[in-house]
Amino acid sequence: MTRDSQSSSRKGPEQAAATASDMTHIVLAFEDNRLIGDLFGQFDQNLALIEQKLGVDAIARGNQVTLKGSQAGCAQARNALEALYQRLQQGHDINPGDVDGALRMAAAADAQLPLPTLEPKSRLAFAQVSTRRKTIVARTPTQDAYIRSMDRADLVFGTGPAGTGKTFLAVAYAAALIERGDATRLILSRPAVEAGERLGFLPGDMKEKVDPYLRPLYDALYEMMPPEKVDRGLQSGMIEVAPLAFMRGRTLSNAVVLLDEAQNTTSMQMKMFLTRLGEGSKMIVTGDPSQVDLPPGQTSGLRESLSLLAGVEGVAHVQFTEVDVVRHELVARIVTAYDNASREAAQAKERRNEAREAARAANDSDNS
């Protein structure tokens, strides 16, 4: 239950009137007092985060919070708080990362893809992935679009920088399909390419040799499913974690197949992998085209496939950017710094090429 009130302003100079008319205050009242502590956070830290991100004042009193500030900021704060309260009512926990995600989603509520829902239109509808162990709720509009795309398309590409949740959401979605019985097998794969290092010969059997490359997939899998269920699935073959080379010659039916670090596939490897898709299966391909570890001169299969399959029916591509990073805030700034440097280097190279072409043209003109 909420009560809204719009602040009024006296007539005056146009600029003052415009500024005053943009200011508002909203009073929100939440009925379940047991959830207030979790909603506002310890020492009201969640409200402090909302104040910091949106530039509004959030004043708590009992089960009420008063929002003061710009109309847009207060509206976003209200939507975020109501969405977080709804999540608490459903029995889920919230943390500062969830608050940040709710604020991002509130800011982009109008840009959300349509989702059939019984919720009122004024209430945010976050896409989410649920397993028996955990429920993952989209924290950015791109994550929201990514989850919805996995529902709609049989082949989904998720590309972008580290820390945006591409792989984690894909593994979570795959685990959810297995638990619901919508797929009978879960196959997780990665190309075994060394990231700028030379590891030499690794000891052990084949599993022990490739496990270091596949560890991020194991980590996400154990977070989404009980460890004993993962172990049973690995032993029975219901869950298979294998390097990309093991995919050749197979047809993967009634399965959800995930290829991670796809930027390190060659053109032939990517074609081989994509053509493994069988009846009743879904494929999810993730990678960062800016982090290719292939030898110089080799074309990334991910880059090529994104170009060749653009617009093909049944294929979806969701591109993450640095604004979608959901790790430490510093990670987003690091990604931005590297992207800016890469962009400046590309522009400088283009200018040098243009200068060389101009000099060559001038030289040819003089010779003629």
Side-chain angles (χ1 to χ4, degrees):
M1 178 180 65
T2 65
R3 298 195 305 271
D4 299 2
S5 58
Q6 179 77 31
S7 63
S8 59
S9 60
R10 297 180 179 179
K11 294 182 179 179
E14 291 183 3
Q15 185 175 1
T19 302
S21 65
D22 187 51
M23 303 302 290
T24 188
H25 77 268
I26 298 173
V27 179
L28 302 178
F30 300 96
E31 297 177 353
D32 194 338
N33 291 324
R34 297 171 301 174
L35 304 179
I36 298 303
D38 291 331
L39 179 63
F40 295 169
Q42 188 175 20
F43 305 114
D44 293 342
Q45 64 177 359
N46 294 344
L47 297 181
L49 182 59
I50 291 173
E51 290 181 328
Q52 176 188 350
K53 295 286 186 180
L54 298 181
V56 300
D57 291 329
I59 305 166
R61 179 174 295 176
N63 68 333
Q64 295 184 348
V65 58
T66 301
L67 304 171
K68 296 181 179 180
S70 67
Q71 292 185 23
C74 287
Q76 290 176 19
R78 176 182 60 192
N79 288 338
L81 283 168
E82 288 179 343
L84 292 168
Y85 181 69
Q86 180 187 8
R87 185 172 183 187
L88 288 170
Q89 286 180 312
Q90 294 170 348
H92 304 304
D93 296 327
I94 61 174
N95 55 49
D98 296 317
V99 178
D100 182 64
L103 291 172
R104 296 191 199 201
M105 294 299 296
D110 293 339
Q112 278 189 291
L113 295 176
L115 177 70
T117 176
L118 297 178
E119 297 294 339
K121 291 184 178 180
S122 61
R123 185 172 294 180
L124 295 180
F126 298 154
Q128 62 184 37
V129 180
S130 296
T131 64
R132 293 176 185 173
R133 188 171 190 187
K134 199 167 189 177
T135 295
I136 305 299
V137 181
R139 289 187 177 182
T140 71
T142 310
Q143 285 191 354
D144 186 82
Y146 187 44
I147 295 173
R148 298 172 196 275
S149 293
M150 288 188 284
D151 274 333
R152 293 197 303 265
D154 289 333
L155 172 59
V156 178
F157 289 91
T159 63
T164 53
K166 307 181 303 296
T167 301
F168 185 75
L169 286 175
V171 174
Y173 186 82
L177 290 184
I178 289 292
E179 285 196 347
R180 295 202 307 258
D182 293 337
T184 58
R185 289 187 296 166
L186 169 55
I187 301 172
L188 309 174
S189 184
R190 257 189 170 197
V193 175
E194 297 162 345
E197 301 180 49
R198 292 294 176 264
L199 303 180
F201 292 100
L202 297 174
D205 57 21
M206 180 59 68
K207 183 178 184 300
E208 291 171 330
K209 289 178 186 293
V210 301
D211 270 0
Y213 297 101
L214 304 172
R215 178 50 53 187
L217 299 179
Y218 281 114
D219 291 342
L221 198 55
Y222 278 108
E223 189 164 343
M224 294 306 303
M225 301 174 68
E228 61 276 8
K229 186 169 184 178
V230 175
D231 293 338
R232 286 198 303 270
L234 290 168
Q235 293 174 3
S236 67
M238 182 187 73
I239 300 174
E240 180 180 349
V241 184
L244 180 59
F246 287 18
M247 297 295 106
R248 186 173 297 278
R250 303 177 63 182
T251 299
L252 306 175
S253 302
N254 300 315
V256 53
V257 190
L258 168 61
L259 175 62
D260 190 33
E261 296 290 337
Q263 75 274 7
N264 290 326
T265 61
T266 64
S267 177
M268 290 303 296
Q269 284 177 329
M270 180 60 78
K271 179 182 177 182
M272 178 273 292
F273 176 80
L274 295 178
T275 53
R276 301 306 95 199
L277 186 64
E279 291 291 330
S281 291
K282 280 181 178 286
M283 274 188 174
I284 307 168
V285 179
T286 66
D288 181 358
S290 69
Q291 297 292 322
V292 177
D293 298 311
L294 293 171
Q298 282 198 348
T299 301
S300 168
L302 176 61
R303 290 176 178 170
E304 183 183 59
S305 62
L306 291 175
S307 175
L308 293 176
L309 301 179
V312 173
E313 184 179 355
V315 178
H317 176 206
V318 178
Q319 186 169 359
F320 294 82
T321 66
E322 63 272 10
V323 300
D324 297 302
V325 172
V326 292
R327 291 181 185 168
H328 194 287
E329 288 185 358
L330 182 57
V331 175
R333 295 195 288 271
I334 291 171
V335 171
T336 300
Y338 272 93
D339 285 349
N340 290 340
S342 178
R343 192 178 302 111
E344 291 172 2
Q347 292 171 350
K349 182 178 180 181
E350 185 177 350
R351 288 194 295 269
R352 290 195 299 269
N353 291 338
E354 290 175 352
R356 282 196 296 267
E357 289 296 328
R360 187 180 297 112
N363 187 43
D364 292 344
S365 178
D366 292 341
N367 291 335
S368 61

